[in-house]
Amino acid sequence: MKGTEKIVAHIQADAKAKADAILAQAEQQCASIREDYDKKAKDVYSEKIRVGVKDCQDKVDSMERIARMEAKKSILALKQEMVSRSFDLAVQKIAALPEERYVAFLAKLAKDASVTGDEEIVLNARDRAAIGEKLVDALGGKLRLADSTGDFAGGLILRRGSIEVNCTVELLVELCRSEMSSEIAGVLFE
């Protein structure tokens, strides 16, 4: 080997060593940068997962609360319907009392509601036909039976001219509704 070739070989060897060192350093820097970005990507991924899980749990919790509220509303509506049916049943039971008790009940209503004694008694068509005369007899003939009938389940209306006193079973039961609803609910649901 000649001197120039040795110098060129030496320069090439130095250049290759420097290039290898630069490449090794670049690879280390790339590995370090890659490692940093991998860590950052994992952190961002973990945060996104955490936020996503929290959002899902919040939605599930919200849906559970809404479902519980809807269930409570449904139960309350059912309870209210049952209480209302109880009052409807009370109207039916009163209207279906045995004749003697029903006539006595209506006679008491008429006596308590009569002011002048010359009112006429309005009954529904069924009661007028079945017990109208018996009611007038039970009242000692003081009140008379109206020619017309009313559209109600039971009870009576006392009428004097344009003034009417409503003693229908529906109204009497309705008047008791506010004070008795909680008692009935207590009996039905406790």
Side-chain angles (χ1 to χ4, degrees), residues 9-26:
H10 181 64
I11 291 173
Q12 282 179 340
D14 281 347
K16 182 167 180 2
K18 282 184 181 176
D20 288 344
I22 291 171
L23 279 175
Q25 184 181 4

Side-chain angles (χ1 to χ4, degrees), residues 85-125:
R85 283 186 186 175
S86 297
F87 284 105
D88 294 344
L89 185 60
V91 168
Q92 293 171 9
K93 292 267 187 191
I94 292 170
L97 283 171
E99 185 176 292
E100 186 179 307
R101 287 183 63 198
Y102 189 56
V103 169
F105 170 71
L106 293 180
K108 180 169 178 10
L109 285 177
K111 283 178 190 174
D112 292 347
S114 177
V115 176
T116 62
D118 65 344
E119 295 94 350
E120 61 181 358
I121 303 168
V122 179
L123 297 172
N124 64 29

Side-chain angles (χ1 to χ4, degrees), residues 22 24 34 37 41 61 86 98 164:
I22 291 171
R34 192 176 304 116
Y37 277 104
D61 292 346
S86 297
E164 292 184 345

Side-chain angles (χ1 to χ4, degrees), residues 43-58:
D43 290 346
V44 168
Y45 176 78
S46 295
E47 180 63 17
K48 294 269 186 201
I49 293 294
R50 188 189 66 75
V51 168
V53 167
K54 184 182 180 312
D55 286 348
C56 285
Q57 188 60 48
D58 289 347

Side-chain angles (χ1 to χ4, degrees), residues 77-188:
L78 180 61
K79 286 180 177 181
Q80 288 172 336
E81 182 181 336
M82 290 177 74
V83 168
S84 183
R85 283 186 186 175
S86 297
F87 284 105
D88 294 344
L89 185 60
V91 168
Q92 293 171 9
K93 292 267 187 191
I94 292 170
L97 283 171
E99 185 176 292
E100 186 179 307
R101 287 183 63 198
Y102 189 56
V103 169
F105 170 71
L106 293 180
K108 180 169 178 10
L109 285 177
K111 283 178 190 174
D112 292 347
S114 177
V115 176
T116 62
D118 65 344
E119 295 94 350
E120 61 181 358
I121 303 168
V122 179
L123 297 172
N124 64 29
R126 180 196 52 152
D127 288 349
R128 186 175 197 292
I131 61 163
E133 293 304 322
K134 292 177 186 172
L135 177 59
V136 171
D137 292 344
L139 291 167
K142 293 183 180 176
L143 301 172
R144 60 184 161 53
L145 210 52
D147 293 331
S148 61
T149 59
D151 185 23
F152 46 88
L156 55 90
I157 294 175
L158 284 184
R159 181 170 49 206
R160 185 170 156 243
S162 63
I163 299 172
E164 292 184 345
V165 179
N166 187 341
C167 298
T168 60
V169 173
E170 291 97 320
L171 180 65
L172 296 173
V173 169
E174 187 62 34
L175 292 173
C176 296
R177 184 182 294 258
S178 63
E179 64 189 52
M180 293 185 69
S181 288
S182 60
E183 292 177 38
I184 290 174
V187 169
L188 289 174

